[in-house]
Amino acid sequence: MNTEQVVNKIISEAEKNAEEIKAENDKKIFAYNQKTDELVQHHEQHSDELAQKAGEEEKRRILATARMKSRTEILSKKQQIVSKLNDRVHDKMENLSKEQFQKLYAGLIKKNAVNGDEVIFPGSEEKLVDEDFVNSINKDAGLKLTLAEEKASFKRGVSLSSGQVSINLSFEVLVEMAQSELEGEIHSQLFTE
């Protein structure tokens, strides 16, 4: 499963979760409104004109409070969904097979290698970037990349360096890029009423 398919699957799950949360919160709003209406009816039955005005004010206050509480709960749930989505994307990246990882990173390195003679710095915990991997990219793309003996400060992924220019292709950066690309779509799916 490629990264795009993984991200699409995660978005699909997030949309489903958002619909379930919205339905659940709609039920809560309905229950709040029902309870408020019952309270207002009770006040209207046992009050004179002054009490009626007070009851109507209380109804507006209770409804406003219930709406605010419900919106706060809905927003909290939506934020949890976005957070879980971000965690899932990062987990999927962490659990890529060697083949998936090398295919993804070979493409990224080829795309971002400006001079063709960059030095590749693997992440501090990166075990899937070795001389064979670098040599296969060089052979496939006609580049002259070299593998640095030093490790980068991030855990997973690589950094390309050529002179004063360094391109960070760490998992964290890739997840952030994916999140920013998907942010508009996620917000349109989760945060529209």
Side-chain angles (χ1 to χ4, degrees), residues 154-168:
F154 48 82
K155 291 181 181 180
R156 297 289 314 274
V158 300
S159 175
L160 295 178
S161 182
S162 178
Q164 298 293 329
V165 178
S166 181
I167 300 173
N168 185 339

Side-chain angles (χ1 to χ4, degrees), residues 106-172:
L108 288 170
I109 291 169
K110 290 174 193 175
K111 181 178 178 182
N112 289 284
V114 178
N115 299 327
D117 63 352
E118 284 81 0
V119 178
I120 298 175
F121 290 87
S124 61
E125 296 179 10
E126 190 56 69
K127 295 175 178 35
L128 301 177
V129 176
D130 55 17
E131 286 290 340
D132 290 337
F133 175 62
V134 174
N135 290 336
S136 72
I137 295 172
N138 285 335
K139 181 180 177 184
D140 184 48
L143 302 174
K144 295 179 183 177
L145 306 171
T146 57
L147 181 63
E149 291 184 26
E150 302 88 32
K151 300 279 187 168
S153 60
F154 48 82
K155 291 181 181 180
R156 297 289 314 274
V158 300
S159 175
L160 295 178
S161 182
S162 178
Q164 298 293 329
V165 178
S166 181
I167 300 173
N168 185 339
L169 298 173
S170 66
F171 275 15
E172 291 79 13

Side-chain angles (χ1 to χ4, degrees), residues 18-32 69-78:
E19 290 175 8
E20 290 171 1
I21 290 170
K22 186 171 185 334
E24 180 181 312
N25 285 316
D26 287 346
K27 288 179 186 177
K28 286 181 182 180
I29 291 172
F30 180 76
Y32 287 137
K69 182 177 179 182
S70 177
R71 286 182 181 150
T72 301
E73 288 176 11
I74 290 170
L75 180 60
S76 174
K77 294 292 184 185
K78 289 177 179 180

Side-chain angles (χ1 to χ4, degrees), residues 38 40 59 68 91 98 133 150 158 163 169-170 183 190-191:
E38 290 171 8
V40 170
K59 177 183 176 181
M68 186 181 302
D91 289 344
K98 180 177 181 177
F133 175 62
E150 302 88 32
V158 300
L169 298 173
S170 66
E183 187 174 294
L190 294 181
F191 295 100

